[in-house]
Amino acid sequence: QSVLTQPPSASGTPGQRVTISCSGSYSNIGTNYVYWYQQLPGTAPKLLIHSNNQRPSGVPDRFSASKSGTSASLAISGLRSEDEADYYCAAWDDRLSVFGTGTKVTVL
Amino acid sequence: QVQLQESGPGLVKPSETLSLTCTVSGGSISGYYWSWIRQPPGKALELIGYIYDNGNTNYNPSLKSRLTISVDTSNNQFSLRLSSVTAADTAVYYCARQGHTVFPNFEYWGQGTLVTVSS
């Protein structure tokens, strides 16, 4: 049972901006970095954001993230068809890292 | 470029032990945390546990009584053993490199291997 809650789904048309939320608590998001992963259909997850808002090399700047209190969010600007995937947040929680419940992004 | 590859049986009988090995290439296993993560069909990711190159481990409390993660630095491999499996353990199992800290910075992933628990 994940302690990080995400909306099950989000959608947008090409070019739109989509935002995904990740709600946690003091012991995870409230006191630790948040990470975001993109999982394309049938593939392993890929690190999208680390340390709350840092993009690894190669990740387009269309992806951005922020954190406030015990919640975090991932934004995808200029939505593209190849962004259709599942997205997971993650954070350290007390003694082990936890993943979010996951959000499926659909490009309409 | 660091690459990870899971190997092991794709079918395990209920009550038996699930065993997987992750082989790391393109880099040393030393100095990093190495993790096992699983994903039941249609469900979210779950961290199973991780190991450091010196053998120190940290396990998911929900699996701790059945779980052993070990490392073989000479062969650049780490392994997972999960005993007394049930259908609830059916999942795609991923190995991943967690970086230099315990935080969930999973930089590299294996392609994943589906393990089905069934008689």
Side-chain angles (χ1 to χ4, degrees), chain B residues 5 11 14 16 25 33 53 70 76 78 81 84 86 91 96 101 115:
Chain B
Q5 178 67 57
L11 180 64
E16 295 191 343
S25 59
Y33 289 88
D53 64 359
S70 58
N76 246 27
F78 63 105
R81 286 175 56 85
S84 304
T86 70
T101 74
V115 178

Side-chain angles (χ1 to χ4, degrees), chain A residues 51-80:
Chain A
S51 308
N52 293 337
N53 55 17
Q54 302 299 302
R55 286 186 309 277
S57 175
V59 173
D61 59 7
R62 303 185 294 103
F63 294 92
S64 62
S66 62
K67 185 183 101 166
S68 178
T70 59
S71 293
S73 63
L74 173 73
I76 310 173
S77 303
L79 192 66
R80 303 176 68 161

